[in-house]
Amino acid sequence: MYPRVMINIEKFRHNVKKLKELSSLNNCTMMGVTKVFCAAKPLVEVLNEEGVEYIADSRIENLRKIETNKPLVLLRLPMISEAYLVVRHSDISLNSEIETIRALNEAAVSIGKTHKVILMVDLGDLREGIFHETELINVTKEVLTMSNIELIGIGVNLTCYGGVIPSVEILENLVKYKELIENRFSINLDIISGGNSSDIPLMLNNSIPLGINNIRLGESLVLGRETAYGETIEGLYDDVFTLEAELIELKKKPTVPPVGKIGMDAFGHKPEFVDLGTVERGIIAVGKQDVYHKGLKPLDKVTLLGSSSDHILVDFHEVPGKYKLGDILKFKLNYSSILSLMTSPYVKKVYQYGQIDEEI
Ligand SMILES: *Cc1c(COP(=O)(O)O)cnc(C)c1O
């Protein structure tokens, strides 16, 4: 059945193992981030088996179905409207709003649980986090008075909106905040969470500042690459996930529409064409409802011309005669295409176990 995403469990395990080792070398525990694959069970099992310390996801719907004995971490700032679900289905959440933490406390009281929070500090990326020191102090002060909330740490997120690349100096600021809070309130913060896969270049140089003791990794696990410069990490697999789709039309056609006036395509864009004459071209049965074609990297010398809801058009002029109707085309994937394919109910997910048969 097609389209299908092939997921190589042993390649994933290899990436997890290597990144777990790298985290340990930098004195960091690791949160295995599951959102890009919707917390699919076979992959969560690998995280369990490889000794990752925490399982983290941005959505409560994913966290509530995860089976693990590790602490579950909610990565996206909680919605006040989901406070009960958050305290019920996660152990730890990342937070930056005192009002939300009040709601979590109330929810935790009502079910007789203690909920742990990590306060997010914005060190310049301008996505989530407390930006001003006075606010950080005031929030900490109030959180420490809450009966059912435990403040266990602080964290930062970089290279997500502002594209700010982690540096020793930036991460040292997080350690300064840790010391400030610890001294001011005579407490210990257990978790100082230094960021995501964009920290990997620093980790490879062994230059994560002392005091940072946790890292949250998602993209690097599935794509074997760091996200500061987008480089593949040596010795890791970039093809844990691949897409297979079936050819449902294969014909010789002109590359430019031969008739009529050119209006809008199905998505309101005016198409542009390069005239290559009449070439072999085809259609595969997968489309925008599943994935955006620009996120696909063909494993053969074909070009993707465009897509509509359910079709991607393929140019075969570099490999004429090689394919026949019903054949399967294979693709490597980028982060957003893994995200959308794993989320699409129309795409089958196939897990491959056993020997890895090629070298990297
Ligand atoms: C998604 C996410 C991560 C993981 O980021 P990657 O770049 O995929 O490693 C870490 N922290 C937070 C808050 C996230 O939302």
Side-chain angles (χ1 to χ4, degrees), residues 39 61 92 120 243 301 356:
E61 292 88 336
I92 303 170
M120 293 304 277
L243 171 67
K301 277 178 136 171
I356 302 173

Side-chain angles (χ1 to χ4, degrees), residues 33 35 75 94 127-128 157 196-197 216-219 227:
V33 175
K35 65 191 183 205
L75 291 172
L94 310 187
R127 198 177 79 171
E128 74 270 52
N157 201 53
N196 54 40
S197 298
R216 310 179 304 273
L217 300 181
E219 180 160 346
T227 55

Side-chain angles (χ1 to χ4, degrees), residues 70-139:
K70 324 261 178 199
L72 290 172
V73 183
L74 179 65
L75 291 172
R76 184 168 68 184
L77 305 178
M79 296 180 246
I80 289 177
S81 61
E82 65 178 358
Y84 286 89
L85 292 173
V86 173
V87 298
R88 198 175 289 281
H89 299 296
S90 73
D91 303 292
I92 303 170
S93 59
L94 310 187
N95 284 274
S96 70
E97 292 284 1
I98 190 65
E99 245 184 287
T100 307
I101 306 173
R102 286 181 199 134
L104 293 175
N105 186 45
E106 219 171 275
V109 168
S110 79
I111 63 166
K113 233 179 130 173
T114 299
H115 183 73
K116 298 178 172 146
V117 301
I118 293 176
L119 290 180
M120 293 304 277
V121 183
D122 188 341
L123 297 177
D125 199 53
L126 306 184
R127 198 177 79 171
E128 74 270 52
I130 297 172
F131 194 78
H132 296 289
E133 189 176 311
T134 43
E135 186 184 350
L136 180 64
I137 296 294
N138 291 338
V139 168

